[in-house]
């Protein structure tokens, strides 16, 4: 499972280049199954969720060649429309393949998608939208856990989402590519990663507009070809490192990131006394000489609101730099599990169903804590770096789902963190026992 061992109290300062965004890369990789010919993706993050997506693409008959952050995908030989259940469970983003397989093959067989355990995460909005497009969706007669989706004849239509779900917006954009006529998705999610998906589809010969505005129009019936595409920078990774550096009293220069995508975090940090300079394609942030003090209530909301994916890292940061403030989670109903681990490290916080109240002026102490999901795990690493003493963060596999070369980047900024694999450790202990 792997454990990060952290020595707290070091100031993290320096320059970093943001990696490609997980939440942009995964839907684009899923979209690539609609295309024929070669795609070359640059800045594809080296994370385990991308590894899982590559395994799924290969199982469907796509050719995938990886060279570091460059990925070549050719889906011309796609031969399968059934996603193996064990791969489906690997991550949430496997669900996007329903839309893209439907567009490419007229059929998809899926099961419940996996992903971090941060709430119920149903797929009813996806299903309702696909049905409105004309898809026939039933439980498989062979296996009640499998869902068989058949396109029949998909027709463009007006869709109004009950909630601006990121995944449902992306899935429906993909399915609508093969629908006859025009599809309009109202109340669609507005995240930058949706705009990035639109850009990719259009580069491949598709006809999509409106992403980012809340109303997306897809003219269907186009055949897509491959293209070269650079994955946009990861705003969540950038936000995580900003909080990590400022949390330890350091300064950071992040290259490759659009400051606008981090607006709610930047505003919150500025109000607390941090110095932030925005440049065209980079952001500089410094804790400054005065102590940072953030107060008030920070609530998560769909983009352009405060991102739920930075909520745990912000809470960890506030345990040291918050003055009687509240963090409210409005997207997922089970996203405070990490907070109990922060209490183990001495955090003076109160957890309720939707809120964490931070009493302020905390000192954190190193401890032995367990990551239970991706962003919660990153929050515990931030806490460990800010704490007095040594911290062990167990279950690094969750963190590796979404952060590329995490420990290496922290070390490059002056943080003391090393990783050991528990299996390695166990086998070393066994060897020791055998020789004594
Ligand atoms: C995506 C992101 C994830 C981020 C989230 C919210 C990817 C790969 N993941 O996840 O990192 O935290 O957006 O910004 O891009 N919901 C339903 N029914 C549905 C779909 C969603 O009730 O059919 C609910 C969810 O349970 C949740 C809320 O809507 O409470 C938001 O979910 P959604 O926007 O779909 O998130 P994901 O696409 O899963």
């Amino acid at each position: 499972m792997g454990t990060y061992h952290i020595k707290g109290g070091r100031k993290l300062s320096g320059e970093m280049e943001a990696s490609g965004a997980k939440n942009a890369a995964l839907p684009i990789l899923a979209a690539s199954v609609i295309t024929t010919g070669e795609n070359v993706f640059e800045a594809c993050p080296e994370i385990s969720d991308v590894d899982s997506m590559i395994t799924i693409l290969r199982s469907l008959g796509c050719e995938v060649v990886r060279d570091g952050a460059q990925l070549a995908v050719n889906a011309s030989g796609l031969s399968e429309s059934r996603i193996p259940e064990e791969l489906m469970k690997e991550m949430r983003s496997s669900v996007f393949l329903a839309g893209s397989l439907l567009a490419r093959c007229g059929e998809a067989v899926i099961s419940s998608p996996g992903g971090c355990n941060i709430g119920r995460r149903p797929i009813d909005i996806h299903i309702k939208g696909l049905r409105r497009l004309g898809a026939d969706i039933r439980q498989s007669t062979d296996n009640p856990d499998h869902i068989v989706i058949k396109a029949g004849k998909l027709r463009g239509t007006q869709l109004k989402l009950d909630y601006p779900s990121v995944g449902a917006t992306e899935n429906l954009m993909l399915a609508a590519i093969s629908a006859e006529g025009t599809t309009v998705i109202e109340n669609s999610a507005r995240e930058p990663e949706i705009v990035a998906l639109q850009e990719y589809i259009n580069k491949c010969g598709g006809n999509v507009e409106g992403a980012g505005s809340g109303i997306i129009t897809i003219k269907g019936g186009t055949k897509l070809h491959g293209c070269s595409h650079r994955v946009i920078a990861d705003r969540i990774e950038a936000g995580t490192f900003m909080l990590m550096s400022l949390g330890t009293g350091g300064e950071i220069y992040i290259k490759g990131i659009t400051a606008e995508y981090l607006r709610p975090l930047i505003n919150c940090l500025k109000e607390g006394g941090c110095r932030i300079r925005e440049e065209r394609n980079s952001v500089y942030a410094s804790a400054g000489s005065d102590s940072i003090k953030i107060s008030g209530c920070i609530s998560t909301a769909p983009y352009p609101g405060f991102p739920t994916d930075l909520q745990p890292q912000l809470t960890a940061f506030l345990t040291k730099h918050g003055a009687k403030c509240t963090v409210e989670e409005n997207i997922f109903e089970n996203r405070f599990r990490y907070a109990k681990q922060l209490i183990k490290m001495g955090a003076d916080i109160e957890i309720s169903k939707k809120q964490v109240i931070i009493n302020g002026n905390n000192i954190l102490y190193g401890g032995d804590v367990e990551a239970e999901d991706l962003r919660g795990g990153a929050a515990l690493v931030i806490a460990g770096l800010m704490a007095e003493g040594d911290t062990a963060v167990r279950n690094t596999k969750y963190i590796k789902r979404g952060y590329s070369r995490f420990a290496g980047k922290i070390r490059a900024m002056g943080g003391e963190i090393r990783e050991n694999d528990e299996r390695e450790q166990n086998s070393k202990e066994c060897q020791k026992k055998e020789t004594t």
Side-chain angles (χ1 to χ4, degrees):
M1 289 290 251
T3 302
Y4 285 135
H5 295 277
I6 299 162
K7 225 175 232 331
R10 306 282 186 272
K11 216 180 241 194
L12 264 74
S13 284
E15 205 176 279
M16 72 173 274
E17 178 95 40
S19 296
K22 159 184 166 293
N23 289 354
L26 294 169
I28 285 170
L29 288 174
S32 72
V33 311
I34 309 178
T35 67
T36 49
E38 175 108 327
N39 288 279
V40 178
F41 298 110
E42 304 289 348
C44 210
E46 293 163 72
I47 55 176
S48 67
D49 268 11
V50 165
D51 296 340
S52 302
M53 183 58 91
I54 292 173
T55 309
I56 296 180
L57 294 181
R58 288 192 176 129
S59 80
L60 297 171
C62 303
E63 271 175 42
V64 186
V65 179
R66 179 160 207 164
D67 181 9
Q70 190 189 72
L71 209 61
V73 180
N74 192 327
S76 303
L78 187 108
S79 52
E80 193 44 78
S81 57
R82 176 183 293 266
I83 307 167
E85 197 173 341
E86 68 282 6
L87 299 180
M88 195 78 204
K89 285 200 180 356
E90 289 281 306
M91 61 172 171
R92 176 78 182 168
S93 307
S94 51
V95 75
F96 305 136
L97 285 152
S100 54
L101 283 171
L102 209 57
R104 172 74 189 269
C105 320
E107 183 184 88
V109 183
I110 63 164
S111 46
S112 280
C116 282
N117 181 5
I118 52 178
R120 288 181 306 115
R121 309 190 85 175
I123 55 167
D124 56 311
I125 304 172
H126 303 236
I127 301 281
K128 192 170 163 188
L130 292 174
R131 283 205 168 114
R132 288 252 322 145
L133 282 169
D136 179 61
I137 304 179
R138 301 163 192 246
Q139 248 179 2
S140 158
T141 44
D142 306 337
N143 183 337
D145 291 337
H146 292 175
I147 306 166
V148 181
I149 310 175
K150 286 194 196 289
K153 190 118 194 85
L154 295 189
R155 278 183 213 288
T157 185
Q158 194 91 6
L159 302 170
K160 184 160 186 182
L161 306 190
D162 296 335
Y163 183 88
S165 152
V166 174
T169 301
E170 292 167 336
N171 219 344
L172 296 169
M173 280 166 82
L174 297 178
I177 291 170
S178 69
E180 200 182 285
T182 301
T183 299
V184 179
I185 311 176
E186 284 180 44
N187 197 28
S188 54
R190 292 190 282 162
E191 273 67 2
E193 293 76 23
I194 306 233
V195 179
L197 178 62
Q198 168 178 286
E199 271 169 24
Y200 168 68
I201 297 170
N202 288 345
K203 260 195 216 170
C204 295
N207 193 338
V208 184
E209 52 186 56
S213 73
I215 302 179
I216 301 176
T217 305
I218 305 115
K219 292 210 172 84
T222 43
K223 289 266 174 273
L224 300 191
H225 51 77
C227 73
S228 288
H229 183 82
R230 189 174 180 84
V231 176
I232 59 165
D234 196 321
R235 61 194 167 102
I236 305 301
E237 184 204 42
T240 302
F241 275 85
M242 202 182 278
L243 288 165
M244 194 184 278
S245 168
L246 301 184
T248 58
E251 57 181 335
I252 187 166
Y253 185 66
I254 310 176
K255 293 190 287 184
I257 193 77
T258 306
E260 195 48 40
Y261 296 164
L262 283 167
R263 183 61 54 220
L265 176 66
I266 288 178
N267 286 348
C268 164
L269 292 171
K270 272 185 177 165
E271 276 169 30
C274 301
R275 285 208 310 265
I276 302 197
R277 191 179 69 240
E278 299 173 19
E279 294 175 2
R280 213 174 71 80
N281 205 20
S282 50
V283 181
Y284 165 83
S286 155
S289 47
D290 301 332
S291 61
I292 310 169
K293 269 292 158 264
I294 292 174
S295 52
C297 177
I298 299 115
S299 299
T300 63
Y303 190 84
F306 194 96
T308 174
D309 283 356
L310 280 175
Q311 177 265 104
Q313 303 90 311
L314 177 76
T315 305
F317 171 87
L318 292 176
T319 58
K320 194 157 174 195
H321 301 289
K324 199 79 196 158
C325 57
T326 304
V327 175
E328 185 175 80
E329 172 59 48
N330 295 307
I331 314 279
F332 293 107
E333 61 283 344
N334 189 18
R335 208 163 197 183
F336 285 134
R337 294 199 305 170
Y338 70 87
K340 291 200 185 105
Q341 307 283 313
L342 290 178
I343 291 174
K344 270 172 79 178
M345 296 176 73
D348 182 10
I349 57 179
E350 293 159 44
I351 312 165
S352 68
K353 205 161 182 279
K354 273 184 78 170
Q355 292 184 332
V356 171
I357 298 167
I358 293 128
N359 292 320
N361 250 344
N362 288 319
I363 299 176
L364 296 178
Y365 300 99
D368 194 329
V369 290
E370 213 163 299
E372 293 176 82
D373 64 75
L374 163 60
R375 307 301 173 186
L380 297 177
V381 171
I382 293 177
L385 289 163
M386 294 191 309
E388 287 183 4
D390 297 345
T391 294
V393 179
R394 301 193 182 276
N395 296 342
T396 55
K397 68 164 189 181
Y398 291 116
I399 299 171
K400 289 175 178 176
R401 292 181 82 140
Y403 289 97
S404 188
R405 292 176 284 113
F406 195 52
K409 286 182 179 175
I410 294 173
R411 276 194 295 273
M413 307 257 308
E416 266 196 62
I417 181 169
R418 68 182 170 79
E419 185 182 7
N420 76 328
D421 189 311
E422 268 159 28
R423 278 167 308 188
E424 225 174 76
Q425 197 182 343
N426 287 344
S427 86
K428 274 187 195 146
E429 274 166 18
C430 288
Q431 277 170 12
K432 221 161 116 193
K433 271 189 200 146
E434 279 164 18
T435 50
T436 50

